[in-house]
Amino acid sequence: MREIASRWQADASALDPALPSERKVARIVERHLRSLSVEKKVGQMIQAEIANATPMDAAEFALGSVLNGGGSSPAGDKRASVDDWLALADAYHDASRRRGASRDGVPILWGTDAVHGHSNVYGATVFPHNIGLGAARDSDLMCCIAAATAREVVATGIDWTFAPTLAVVRDDRWGRTYEGYSEHPELVVEYAQRVVTGLQGVAGDPGFLGPGRVLATAKHFLGEGHTTDGHDQGDVACSEETLRDLHAGGHRAAIAAGVQTVMAGFHSWHGTKVHGHEYLLTGVLKGALGFDGLVVSDWDGYLQVAEDRREACAMSVNAGVDLLMVGVDWRQTYDDLLQQAVAGVVPMSRIDDAVRRILRVKARAGLFSSPRPSQRLCAGDRTAVGHPAHRELARRAVRESLVLLKNGGVLPLRRDANVLLAGDGADNIGKQCGGWTLTWQGTGNDNDDFPNGMSIFEGFAQAVAGKGGTATLSPSGEFTGPAPDVAIVVFGENPYAEGDGDRRHLSFSAHDSEPLAILRKFKERGVPTVSVFLAGRPMWVNPELNASDAFVVAWLPGTEGGGVADVLFRGPGGEPQHDFRGRLSYSWPRHALHTPLNVGDIDYSPLFPYGFGLSYRDGRRDTSRLDEADAAAGIPAVDEHRVSGWTYPR
Ligand code: GLC
């Protein structure tokens, strides 16, 4: 361990054991640990999905935790109300505290993917995905977003979010590129500390994990963004030094900020699944880096460690996983682990260490002394979910995330202009939001699923209202009568999540040629165009850039589409009201196969470099005509034959 620690430059853990609160935590932990049978200890190590485990199951098996996976909600109702979420949280809490006649059972933990706002919940504020927040380069903003998200999560009675994602993304073909802040560790490290603090509060302060705060998760440990060819759940072949120096900074910063949970990644390192990697999970994370919270598996991730599920379960727990996130069959996993514990395949010392960590996190979160969720401060605050202040914060985040790649002089727009909004993203809040929104993949949503949202078109209509201008919606770009003064063509990737978003190359028009046709038709008719590109990654869009007078990258902006118009229009005095401030946190490819492409590469030659972004102060900055030969011509955009690392029954 000493040798590992020296190589990993161990950091001091954030929570000082001498703190009075830590001494109280230790007493609670030891008292409850002593009171638990081996069956109850195993129950504490199981996290079941709310669709598969009732509150009664939680009581009977002393389940340590539940989660709602992407798209899962009370009674499977996508439009479940805050009261519905809260009632279910109360039911699980009450059941977990009940132990015979007493009420001193171990309280249950509920985890959710509030990864860009509380985005599973109807009416919640959906913030830009991390790739856009990376472009904003604003760590104060990150802390505010995290705190606002925590308030919305607490309002629904939930204790824990599986965020932030701390991936340093090295190949943009990866379907989770947009969940990362950047390709470079500097931003990931800076943001990690701010987001964890925004979610949990300042470690060691009285308010730490107090009212209005939730547990955070550093995920996915370690190096997930470096898989070969960007395959989700694939193999990472980089050196240990690269893992340490390129990928571990965010996790170290999160640990130093007091993060209480870490999620293991689905990927493997040099052919060994992280979920079974004792060196990484125990030697490095818990030993060298001093992490004393709990390690949670990813969705059935432990099952990938070996063919036999009972063997896999034991290998994963022995490697350092403390809490098993079970997609469906939690009873089987419970039986598997109990049998392996009784047989001594998983030593009782490992079981006790895992349960100690789980109890420690619950005690630090104050759960042993908290009332039921609905009676906690900030819980049940229906006004918190989609609060106007949160929406304004999200709109500010949208403004700050926009990156201007080209401005042929058509921006900023006058508010008395006649504007036509074209493209399938113009009035499509679901497309604005991307994956991890109401549903796992972010698909199947329409505008009335977002009562507290605004489409980009609605933002334009708001901008010209009463100013003598007009905003007309025409997704096809067709119009009759006089030509518009300018056409805004909003297009981009359709929502996806995880491996479903893996691509074989970065050519946009290879899987959607419609926007280019629309842009070219406007050009033929002499109508100036502004492209607004919705994407979870940089893509090869040279033809679309050539056909646009201005090109704005909006990433996946979330529910506050009005933030786009805020920047594209002049203010009342005719000056730009908000200038572009977004700067690329991912390098932009010169051609469709130009990946991996990362700042610092020896032969680094992007179309637009890391840190690039124009502003109005730069004046007219056209680009010379770009090469339109598609290097990916004939290559399917999606690898139909990709053997997905894992497909889950969602
Ligand atoms: C998923 C993701 C992980 C998420 C978990 C629960 O498979 O990999 O990021 O937190 O399942 O939804």
Side-chain angles (χ1 to χ4, degrees), residues 312-332:
C313 178
M315 288 172 66
S316 195
V317 171
N318 284 336
V321 170
D322 302 307
L323 183 66
L324 297 169
M325 179 192 292
V326 184
V328 182
D329 199 352
W330 63 271
R331 286 173 193 268
Q332 183 60 58

Side-chain angles (χ1 to χ4, degrees), residues 419-574:
V419 183
L420 186 138
L421 274 294
D424 64 355
D427 190 39
N428 187 338
I429 300 176
K431 189 166 180 132
Q432 283 168 215
C433 289
W436 296 104
T437 310
L438 294 177
T439 63
W440 173 42
Q441 293 290 318
T443 50
N445 298 320
D446 42 44
N447 285 359
D448 59 18
D449 285 318
F450 301 95
N452 294 322
M454 177 183 280
S455 73
I456 291 170
F457 163 68
E458 290 166 331
F460 274 78
Q462 184 187 68
V464 299
K467 302 287 191 309
T470 61
T472 307
L473 178 64
S474 169
S476 67
E478 289 306 316
F479 61 90
T480 56
D485 297 320
V486 62
I488 312 295
V489 185
V490 187
F491 65 97
E493 291 193 292
N494 289 321
Y496 54 79
E498 303 194 50
D500 291 66
D502 281 6
R503 294 284 177 270
R504 290 186 76 179
H505 56 73
L506 298 176
S507 170
F508 175 75
S509 47
H511 66 203
D512 185 353
S513 59
E514 182 63 19
L516 182 57
I518 293 174
L519 285 163
R520 285 176 172 164
K521 189 176 285 187
F522 281 124
K523 206 164 189 66
E524 287 161 14
R525 301 170 82 168
V527 177
T529 57
V530 178
S531 283
V532 177
F533 187 50
L534 303 173
R537 69 189 104 207
M539 298 191 82
W540 182 76
V541 286
N542 284 12
E544 292 82 0
L545 273 160
N546 286 337
S548 308
D549 292 291
F551 198 98
V552 177
V553 186
W555 310 109
L556 297 170
T559 48
E560 298 311 316
V564 176
D566 289 348
V567 179
L568 268 58
F569 277 96
R570 298 168 191 276

Side-chain angles (χ1 to χ4, degrees), residues 67-70 113 162 176 179 219-220 263 266 298-299 325 436 440 498 648 650:
L67 82 149
N68 62 289
D113 291 283
F162 305 131
R176 306 193 76 164
E179 295 185 63
K219 76 180 187 182
H220 306 78
M263 188 180 293
F266 277 123
D298 204 332
W299 184 280
M325 179 192 292
W436 296 104
W440 173 42
E498 303 194 50
Y648 353 84
R650 290 278 178 173

